[in-house]
Amino acid sequence: MPKISIIIPIFNVEKYITKCLQSLVKQTFQEIEILCINDGSTDNSLKIVENFAQKFPQIKVFSKENSGVSDTRNFGIKHATADYIMFLDSDDWYKKNACELAYSEITQTNSDIGIFGILENYQFFEKPCIMNKNIKRAVKDPQKRDLWKFLTYSVNKIYKKDFLLSNNIEFPKDIKTAEDLTFSAWCLFNNPKCCFIGKSLYVYRKNRLNSATTNNNGVKNDLEALKNICNTKLFQEQEIKSQVKLVEKFCSGAWNYYKRNRNDKLLLNDIKNLVEFIDQNFPQEELTVFKMYNRVKKIATK
């Protein structure tokens, strides 16, 4: 019986999937199952994965029609047999001791979620993700932990499967961006016990192709995601301070899009629409304490 189920959505990643799988079969902790879920790939991704599966029995291969990363991860959750779950993108990889350290910490602390650092890979060098500083602070001083700082990614975490299932937490299928943010928010709204591993265990490939972060419709899609969240009962049950903290994350995303495309008129209009929606639905006195909201508000009023 495996102790960790690692869920990997696969779609046209023939250039990257070998390195991803090699990082798993070489883990220092081998009580794992590797769920490779082919999401309708049209290249050689499936063939590469099947060749790995012939050599390594811990690899399980599934194929389905293309339905996107959220539905594919949810498929993986339903088919996971271990008590703990990790998500790995097929163009990224783990450090050799990632599973060992993550499993050790979450089980010793009896936590629902374990959070660890990320290394950003730029082909010829790596550097720590800016979020890693917050993780190190959280390790040193538990009293200063702010879980809202760790919503951006779902992949730098290990989850107790029972926590996800008992709270009906899954990735949203009806939005085009902010899937990780939404999933992480659902986790946080259900008051998880979290632990922190002060090491970078996940390697994020920054030179990936077709990244969602380069999407010209990013802010427009994020606004639809935010509207979707706001319409849920779980969000509406939260205190206003928690609601606006999540809104601030969407403002941060809009700011990042703006930094890359300052002269894009359609983007500027999308930011205006985002700010207009936020102003109509949340009190100004709660919003103006946040730096990113003030930044995008300034952009929207130009």
Side-chain angles (χ1 to χ4, degrees):
M1 183 74 175
K3 294 181 177 179
I4 305 176
S5 297
I6 301 170
I7 297 170
I8 311 174
I10 296 170
F11 178 72
N12 291 352
V13 285
E14 60 181 10
K15 294 181 180 180
Y16 308 128
I17 188 60
T18 295
K19 187 173 183 65
C20 174
L21 293 178
Q22 285 176 339
S23 80
L24 294 177
V25 298
K26 295 179 180 179
Q27 285 291 303
T28 56
F29 184 87
Q30 276 296 307
E31 294 179 81
I32 61 177
E33 65 174 2
I34 304 163
L35 306 183
C36 295
I37 305 162
N38 176 44
D39 188 32
S41 294
T42 56
D43 65 357
N44 290 319
S45 297
L46 178 58
K47 184 177 180 179
I48 295 170
V49 172
E50 288 177 336
N51 287 339
F52 263 87
Q54 291 177 0
K55 300 176 183 177
F56 302 98
Q58 65 267 46
I59 297 178
K60 300 179 181 179
V61 183
F62 302 85
S63 281
K64 63 181 187 60
E65 293 184 1
N66 180 260
S67 58
V69 66
S70 289
D71 188 58
T72 303
R73 286 174 173 166
N74 292 338
F75 181 96
I77 294 172
K78 292 175 183 177
H79 286 81
T81 64
D83 290 334
Y84 294 90
I85 288 175
M86 298 172 73
F87 300 102
L88 175 59
D89 286 344
S90 51
D91 46 0
D92 299 333
W93 61 96
Y94 285 149
K95 287 296 187 179
K96 193 173 182 178
N97 59 350
C99 294
E100 179 182 0
L101 295 182
Y103 182 81
S104 175
E105 187 66 24
I106 196 170
T107 53
Q108 287 182 18
T109 59
N110 191 28
S111 297
D112 298 309
I113 301 174
I115 304 171
F116 44 85
I118 294 176
L119 282 177
E120 296 177 345
N121 179 276
Y122 291 84
Q123 189 174 1
F124 298 113
F125 68 95
E126 293 178 349
K127 70 175 186 178
C129 175
I130 190 170
M131 178 186 60
N132 292 6
K133 293 181 180 179
N134 292 324
I135 293 177
K136 289 183 178 180
R137 292 191 189 104
V139 171
K140 290 181 179 179
D141 189 351
Q143 300 302 318
K144 294 184 178 180
R145 292 178 178 178
D146 182 0
L147 296 180
W148 290 95
K149 295 182 182 294
F150 308 102
L151 292 186
T152 307
Y153 305 102
S154 63
V155 293
N156 70 320
K157 300 175 178 71
I158 181 171
Y159 304 85
K160 184 182 289 184
K161 184 175 69 173
D162 184 62
F163 170 76
L164 299 179
L165 297 181
S166 62
N167 292 297
N168 298 312
I169 298 171
E170 61 178 15
F171 288 86
K173 299 183 288 291
D174 46 2
I175 60 177
K176 297 178 181 178
T177 58
E179 300 96 338
D180 277 19
L181 178 58
T182 305
F183 178 83
S184 296
W186 293 159
C187 288
L188 191 53
F189 287 155
N190 280 284
N191 301 311
K193 178 182 179 182
C194 294
C195 62
F196 291 83
I197 301 100
K199 293 182 180 294
S200 297
L201 306 181
Y202 190 97
V203 185
Y204 175 79
R205 187 188 296 272
K206 290 294 287 187
N207 61 330
R208 62 182 66 192
L209 301 175
N210 301 320
S211 171
T213 57
T214 61
N215 188 339
N216 291 334
N217 295 320
V219 174
K220 182 178 181 180
N221 292 334
D222 278 4
L223 175 56
E224 293 305 311
L226 178 58
K227 289 179 178 178
N228 181 283
I229 291 173
C230 291
N231 286 331
T232 64
K233 181 180 179 181
L234 180 59
F235 179 82
Q236 293 168 3
E237 290 174 345
Q238 305 304 309
E239 295 181 354
I240 187 64
K241 291 186 180 297
S242 294
Q243 292 180 352
V244 295
K245 280 187 175 182
L246 181 57
V247 169
E248 166 73 351
K249 290 296 181 181
F250 281 92
C251 292
S252 179
W255 172 251
N256 288 330
Y257 283 116
Y258 175 74
K259 285 193 298 183
R260 293 189 292 268
N261 302 280
R262 291 175 183 267
N263 298 318
D264 188 326
K265 292 183 179 179
L266 291 177
L267 175 62
L268 293 175
N269 186 64
D270 290 339
I271 290 176
K272 289 180 180 178
N273 291 337
L274 174 67
V275 172
E276 181 180 350
F277 174 80
I278 292 172
D279 287 348
Q280 289 175 351
N281 289 275
F282 301 95
Q284 281 288 305
E285 61 269 22
E286 297 288 347
L287 293 166
T288 53
V289 300
F290 292 108
K291 177 174 64 176
M292 289 301 173
Y293 167 77
N294 291 323
R295 284 183 175 179
V296 295
K297 176 77 170 182
K298 186 176 180 180
I299 296 168
T301 55
K302 284 185 177 180

